[in-house]
Amino acid sequence: MTRILLLGGTGDALKIARQLRPIDVYSLAGLGQVPDDLACAVRVGGFGGSEGLARYLASERIGLVIDATHPYAAQISANAARACRAAGVSCWALRRRAWQPQAGDDWRTVSDWNELIAALASFRRPFFTLGREPLAHLDEIPPYQFWTVRCLESHPDTARSRVMAARGPFTLDGERALFALQRFDVVVTKNSGGAATEAKLDVARERGLPLVMLRRPAMAEVDHEFATVAGLLDALRAHTGNESSGR
Ligand code: NAP
């Protein structure tokens, strides 16, 4: 029976993990919550690069890796593809579809932090929704700006910033109330795709606000890519079903 290693750290990965068997393993980097109600095993922490992951695949007799990490977790995805090639193990990946701009949207795509800061120069109240990276730059905020940073971590407020520790999903009504209260004039985001954090795009459109969007990293080629959890689980059921029926 093929033993599966699922690389996770996202809500979609957790949905897949709930369908795994006791012989399978769900792997997390260790930054967020660790579920304790899964049938499969759960391991936490890095493998030590692609070589470490290739060694793990061999020693744990893994036959299939499923990369369901976040679209911006480029390092672990590259490691997974490389380690699978080296170990001769199949690699599947969940690659969530990117959000697409709609009529009336004003999206400004940037490639890195310096471009992002330059794109914000004419704004006063940016709303950062791209994780913890802004926390390392709170002492660089220009005197005319006030930053609101929403991420998983808590952090003390400063004279020119407020950090909101919060975990999605976020509702349309909740985002509407937050935008109205905080008077954001620009939203800073990754193009994460999916429904859990999409409401901010709708509210930015309603309020005519521009979005500064960090470009998605390129992802390594894998054996099979799936755009949805349902599609991946169908393929997985077919794969494990064929095994148990001996086909
Ligand atoms: P990353 O830059 O691609 O990975 C950094 C290192 O963390 C990897 O080289 C690996 O260490 C370890 N790692 C990452 N995911 C792992 C996993 N599922 N199991 C075991 N080790 C893992 O990743 P990141 O952007 O820091 O994100 C870290 C985790 O948070 C990911 O699992 C991702 O799914 C989740 N996440 C990320 C974002 C985001 O915006 N980047 C958003 C939501 C959730 P070794 O090299 O030592 O193996």
Side-chain angles (χ1 to χ4, degrees), residues 6-10 27-29 31 43-50 53 68-70 72-77 79 130 132 190:
L6 171 66
L7 302 169
T10 61
S27 175
L28 292 163
L31 304 174
R43 68 166 297 288
V44 178
F47 297 94
S50 66
L53 180 51
T69 57
H70 190 269
Y72 285 73
Q75 187 62 59
I76 186 67
S77 293
N79 290 354
L130 40 57
R132 82 185 87 89
K190 291 176 175 170

CSV table of all heavy atoms in Angstrom, one decimal, residues 6-10 27-29 31 43-50 53 68-70 72-77 79 130 132 190, ligand 1:
chain,number,residue,atom,x,y,z
A,6,LEU,N,1.9,14.1,3.1
A,6,LEU,CA,1.2,15.3,2.7
A,6,LEU,C,1.9,16.5,3.3
A,6,LEU,O,2.1,16.6,4.6
A,6,LEU,CB,-0.2,15.3,3.2
A,6,LEU,CG,-1.1,16.5,3.1
A,6,LEU,CD1,-1.3,16.9,1.7
A,6,LEU,CD2,-2.4,16.4,3.9
A,7,LEU,N,2.4,17.5,2.5
A,7,LEU,CA,3.0,18.7,3.0
A,7,LEU,C,1.9,19.8,3.1
A,7,LEU,O,1.2,20.1,2.1
A,7,LEU,CB,4.1,19.1,2.0
A,7,LEU,CG,5.2,18.1,1.8
A,7,LEU,CD1,6.1,18.5,0.6
A,7,LEU,CD2,6.0,17.9,3.1
A,8,GLY,N,1.7,20.3,4.3
A,8,GLY,CA,0.6,21.2,4.5
A,8,GLY,C,0.9,22.5,5.1
A,8,GLY,O,1.9,23.1,4.8
A,9,GLY,N,0.0,23.0,5.9
A,9,GLY,CA,0.1,24.3,6.5
A,9,GLY,C,-1.0,25.3,6.0
A,9,GLY,O,-0.9,26.5,6.2
A,10,THR,N,-2.0,24.7,5.3
A,10,THR,CA,-3.1,25.5,4.8
A,10,THR,C,-4.4,24.8,5.2
A,10,THR,O,-4.4,23.6,5.5
A,10,THR,CB,-3.0,25.6,3.3
A,10,THR,OG1,-3.1,24.3,2.7
A,10,THR,CG2,-1.7,26.2,2.8
A,27,SER,N,2.6,16.6,7.3
A,27,SER,CA,3.8,17.4,7.7
A,27,SER,C,3.5,18.9,7.8
A,27,SER,O,3.0,19.4,6.8
A,27,SER,CB,4.9,17.1,6.8
A,27,SER,OG,6.0,17.9,7.2
A,28,LEU,N,3.9,19.5,8.9
A,28,LEU,CA,3.7,20.9,9.1
A,28,LEU,C,5.1,21.6,9.4
A,28,LEU,O,5.9,21.0,10.1
A,28,LEU,CB,2.8,21.2,10.2
A,28,LEU,CG,1.3,20.8,10.0
A,28,LEU,CD1,0.6,20.6,11.3
A,28,LEU,CD2,0.7,21.8,9.1
A,29,ALA,N,5.2,22.8,9.0
A,29,ALA,CA,6.5,23.6,9.3
A,29,ALA,C,6.6,23.9,10.8
A,29,ALA,O,7.7,24.0,11.3
A,29,ALA,CB,6.6,24.8,8.5
A,31,LEU,N,4.6,26.5,12.3
A,31,LEU,CA,4.3,27.9,12.6
A,31,LEU,C,2.9,28.1,13.1
A,31,LEU,O,2.7,29.1,13.8
A,31,LEU,CB,4.4,28.8,11.3
A,31,LEU,CG,5.8,28.7,10.5
A,31,LEU,CD1,5.7,29.4,9.2
A,31,LEU,CD2,6.9,29.2,11.4
A,43,ARG,N,3.6,15.1,11.7
A,43,ARG,CA,5.0,15.5,12.1
A,43,ARG,C,5.2,17.0,11.9
A,43,ARG,O,4.5,17.6,11.1
A,43,ARG,CB,6.0,14.7,11.3
A,43,ARG,CG,6.1,15.0,9.8
A,43,ARG,CD,7.3,14.5,9.1
A,43,ARG,NE,8.5,15.1,9.6
A,43,ARG,CZ,8.9,16.3,9.4
A,43,ARG,NH1,8.2,17.2,8.8
A,43,ARG,NH2,10.1,16.7,9.9
A,44,VAL,N,6.1,17.5,12.7
A,44,VAL,CA,6.2,19.0,12.7
A,44,VAL,C,7.7,19.4,12.5
A,44,VAL,O,8.6,18.8,13.2
A,44,VAL,CB,5.7,19.6,14.0
A,44,VAL,CG1,5.9,21.1,14.0
A,44,VAL,CG2,4.2,19.3,14.2
A,45,GLY,N,8.0,20.3,11.6
A,45,GLY,CA,9.4,20.8,11.5
A,45,GLY,C,10.0,20.5,10.2
A,45,GLY,O,9.5,19.6,9.4
A,46,GLY,N,11.0,21.2,9.8
A,46,GLY,CA,11.7,21.0,8.5
A,46,GLY,C,12.4,19.7,8.4
A,46,GLY,O,12.6,19.0,9.4
A,47,PHE,N,12.7,19.4,7.1
A,47,PHE,CA,13.4,18.1,6.9
A,47,PHE,C,14.9,18.3,6.7
A,47,PHE,O,15.6,17.3,6.6
A,47,PHE,CB,12.8,17.5,5.6
A,47,PHE,CG,11.4,17.1,5.6
A,47,PHE,CD1,10.4,18.0,5.2
A,47,PHE,CD2,11.0,15.9,6.1
A,47,PHE,CE1,9.1,17.7,5.3
A,47,PHE,CE2,9.6,15.6,6.2
A,47,PHE,CZ,8.7,16.5,5.8
A,48,GLY,N,15.4,19.5,6.5
A,48,GLY,CA,16.8,19.8,6.2
A,48,GLY,C,17.0,19.8,4.7
A,48,GLY,O,17.9,19.1,4.2
A,49,GLY,N,16.2,20.7,4.0
A,49,GLY,CA,16.4,20.9,2.6
A,49,GLY,C,15.9,19.7,1.8
A,49,GLY,O,15.4,18.7,2.3
A,50,SER,N,16.2,19.8,0.5
A,50,SER,CA,15.7,18.7,-0.4
A,50,SER,C,16.4,17.4,-0.1
A,50,SER,O,15.8,16.3,-0.2
A,50,SER,CB,15.8,19.1,-1.9
A,50,SER,OG,17.1,19.2,-2.3
A,53,LEU,N,14.8,15.8,2.9
A,53,LEU,CA,13.5,15.3,2.5
A,53,LEU,C,13.6,14.0,1.7
A,53,LEU,O,12.9,13.0,1.9
A,53,LEU,CB,12.7,16.4,1.7
A,53,LEU,CG,11.3,16.0,1.2
A,53,LEU,CD1,10.5,15.5,2.4
A,53,LEU,CD2,10.6,17.2,0.6
A,68,ALA,N,0.6,20.3,-0.6
A,68,ALA,CA,-0.6,21.2,-0.5
A,68,ALA,C,-0.2,22.4,0.3
A,68,ALA,O,-1.0,22.9,1.1
A,68,ALA,CB,-1.7,20.4,0.1
A,69,THR,N,1.0,22.9,0.2
A,69,THR,CA,1.5,24.1,0.9
A,69,THR,C,0.9,25.3,0.2
A,69,THR,O,0.4,25.2,-0.9
A,69,THR,CB,3.0,24.1,1.0
A,69,THR,OG1,3.5,24.1,-0.4
A,69,THR,CG2,3.6,22.9,1.7
A,70,HIS,N,1.2,26.4,0.8
A,70,HIS,CA,0.6,27.7,0.3
A,70,HIS,C,1.3,28.1,-1.0
A,70,HIS,O,2.5,27.8,-1.2
A,70,HIS,CB,0.9,28.8,1.4
A,70,HIS,CG,0.2,30.1,1.1
A,70,HIS,ND1,0.8,31.1,0.4
A,70,HIS,CD2,-1.0,30.5,1.5
A,70,HIS,CE1,0.0,32.1,0.3
A,70,HIS,NE2,-1.1,31.8,1.0
A,72,TYR,N,2.7,30.6,-1.9
A,72,TYR,CA,3.9,31.4,-1.8
A,72,TYR,C,5.0,30.7,-1.0
A,72,TYR,O,6.0,31.2,-0.7
A,72,TYR,CB,3.6,32.8,-1.1
A,72,TYR,CG,2.9,33.7,-2.1
A,72,TYR,CD1,1.6,33.5,-2.5
A,72,TYR,CD2,3.6,34.8,-2.7
A,72,TYR,CE1,1.0,34.3,-3.4
A,72,TYR,CE2,3.0,35.6,-3.6
A,72,TYR,CZ,1.7,35.4,-3.9
A,72,TYR,OH,1.0,36.3,-4.8
A,73,ALA,N,4.7,29.4,-0.6
A,73,ALA,CA,5.7,28.6,0.1
A,73,ALA,C,6.6,27.9,-1.0
A,73,ALA,O,6.6,26.7,-1.2
A,73,ALA,CB,5.1,27.6,1.0
A,74,ALA,N,7.4,28.8,-1.6
A,74,ALA,CA,8.1,28.3,-2.8
A,74,ALA,C,9.3,27.3,-2.5
A,74,ALA,O,9.6,26.4,-3.3
A,74,ALA,CB,8.7,29.5,-3.6
A,75,GLN,N,9.9,27.5,-1.3
A,75,GLN,CA,11.1,26.7,-1.0
A,75,GLN,C,10.7,25.2,-0.8
A,75,GLN,O,11.3,24.3,-1.3
A,75,GLN,CB,11.7,27.3,0.3
A,75,GLN,CG,13.1,26.6,0.6
A,75,GLN,CD,14.1,26.8,-0.5
A,75,GLN,OE1,14.4,27.9,-0.8
A,75,GLN,NE2,14.6,25.7,-1.1
A,76,ILE,N,9.7,25.0,0.1
A,76,ILE,CA,9.3,23.6,0.4
A,76,ILE,C,8.7,23.0,-0.9
A,76,ILE,O,9.0,21.8,-1.1
A,76,ILE,CB,8.3,23.6,1.6
A,76,ILE,CG1,8.0,22.1,1.9
A,76,ILE,CG2,7.0,24.3,1.3
A,76,ILE,CD1,9.2,21.4,2.6
A,77,SER,N,8.1,23.7,-1.8
A,77,SER,CA,7.5,23.1,-3.0
A,77,SER,C,8.7,22.7,-3.9
A,77,SER,O,8.7,21.6,-4.5
A,77,SER,CB,6.6,24.1,-3.7
A,77,SER,OG,5.4,24.3,-3.0
A,79,ASN,N,11.7,22.0,-2.9
A,79,ASN,CA,12.4,20.9,-2.3
A,79,ASN,C,11.6,19.6,-2.5
A,79,ASN,O,12.2,18.5,-2.7
A,79,ASN,CB,12.4,21.1,-0.7
A,79,ASN,CG,13.4,22.2,-0.4
A,79,ASN,OD1,14.1,22.7,-1.2
A,79,ASN,ND2,13.4,22.6,0.9
A,130,LEU,N,-0.4,40.2,4.0
A,130,LEU,CA,0.4,39.2,3.3
A,130,LEU,C,1.4,38.5,4.3
A,130,LEU,O,2.4,38.0,3.9
A,130,LEU,CB,1.2,39.8,2.2
A,130,LEU,CG,1.9,41.2,2.3
A,130,LEU,CD1,2.8,41.3,3.4
A,130,LEU,CD2,2.5,41.6,1.0
A,132,ARG,N,3.7,37.9,7.9
A,132,ARG,CA,4.4,38.6,9.0
A,132,ARG,C,5.5,39.5,8.5
A,132,ARG,O,6.1,40.2,9.2
A,132,ARG,CB,5.0,37.5,9.9
A,132,ARG,CG,6.3,36.9,9.5
A,132,ARG,CD,6.7,35.8,10.5
A,132,ARG,NE,6.0,34.6,10.1
A,132,ARG,CZ,6.6,33.7,9.2
A,132,ARG,NH1,7.7,33.9,8.7
A,132,ARG,NH2,5.9,32.6,8.9
A,190,LYS,N,-1.0,39.1,-1.1
A,190,LYS,CA,-0.5,38.1,-2.0
A,190,LYS,C,-1.7,37.6,-2.8
A,190,LYS,O,-2.8,37.8,-2.5
A,190,LYS,CB,0.0,36.9,-1.2
A,190,LYS,CG,1.3,37.1,-0.4
A,190,LYS,CD,1.7,36.0,0.4
A,190,LYS,CE,3.1,36.2,1.1
A,190,LYS,NZ,3.4,35.3,2.1
B,1,NAP,P1,8.9,28.0,2.6
B,1,NAP,O1,9.7,29.3,2.6
B,1,NAP,O2,8.6,27.4,1.3
B,1,NAP,O3,9.7,26.9,3.5
B,1,NAP,C1,10.8,27.2,4.4
B,1,NAP,C2,11.2,25.9,5.1
B,1,NAP,O4,10.2,25.5,6.0
B,1,NAP,C3,11.3,24.7,4.1
B,1,NAP,O5,12.5,24.7,3.4
B,1,NAP,C4,11.2,23.6,5.1
B,1,NAP,O6,12.3,23.4,5.9
B,1,NAP,C5,10.1,24.1,6.1
B,1,NAP,N1,8.7,23.7,5.7
B,1,NAP,C6,7.8,24.5,5.0
B,1,NAP,N2,6.7,23.8,4.9
B,1,NAP,C7,6.8,22.6,5.6
B,1,NAP,C8,6.0,21.5,5.8
B,1,NAP,N3,4.7,21.5,5.4
B,1,NAP,N4,6.5,20.5,6.5
B,1,NAP,C9,7.8,20.5,6.9
B,1,NAP,N5,8.7,21.5,6.7
B,1,NAP,C10,8.2,22.6,6.1
B,1,NAP,O7,7.6,28.2,3.5
B,1,NAP,P2,7.0,29.5,4.2
B,1,NAP,O8,6.5,30.4,3.1
B,1,NAP,O9,7.9,29.9,5.3
B,1,NAP,O10,5.7,28.8,4.8
B,1,NAP,C11,5.8,27.9,5.9
B,1,NAP,C12,4.6,27.1,6.0
B,1,NAP,O11,3.5,27.9,6.3
B,1,NAP,C13,4.3,26.3,4.8
B,1,NAP,O12,4.0,24.9,5.2
B,1,NAP,C14,3.0,26.9,4.2
B,1,NAP,O13,2.1,26.0,3.6
B,1,NAP,C15,2.4,27.7,5.3
B,1,NAP,N6,1.8,28.9,4.9
B,1,NAP,C16,2.6,29.8,4.2
B,1,NAP,C17,2.0,31.0,3.8
B,1,NAP,C18,2.9,32.0,3.0
B,1,NAP,O14,2.3,33.1,2.7
B,1,NAP,N7,4.1,31.7,2.7
B,1,NAP,C19,0.7,31.3,4.1
B,1,NAP,C20,-0.1,30.4,4.8
B,1,NAP,C21,0.5,29.2,5.2
B,1,NAP,P3,13.5,22.3,5.5
B,1,NAP,O15,14.2,22.9,4.3
B,1,NAP,O16,14.3,22.2,6.7
B,1,NAP,O17,12.7,21.1,5.1
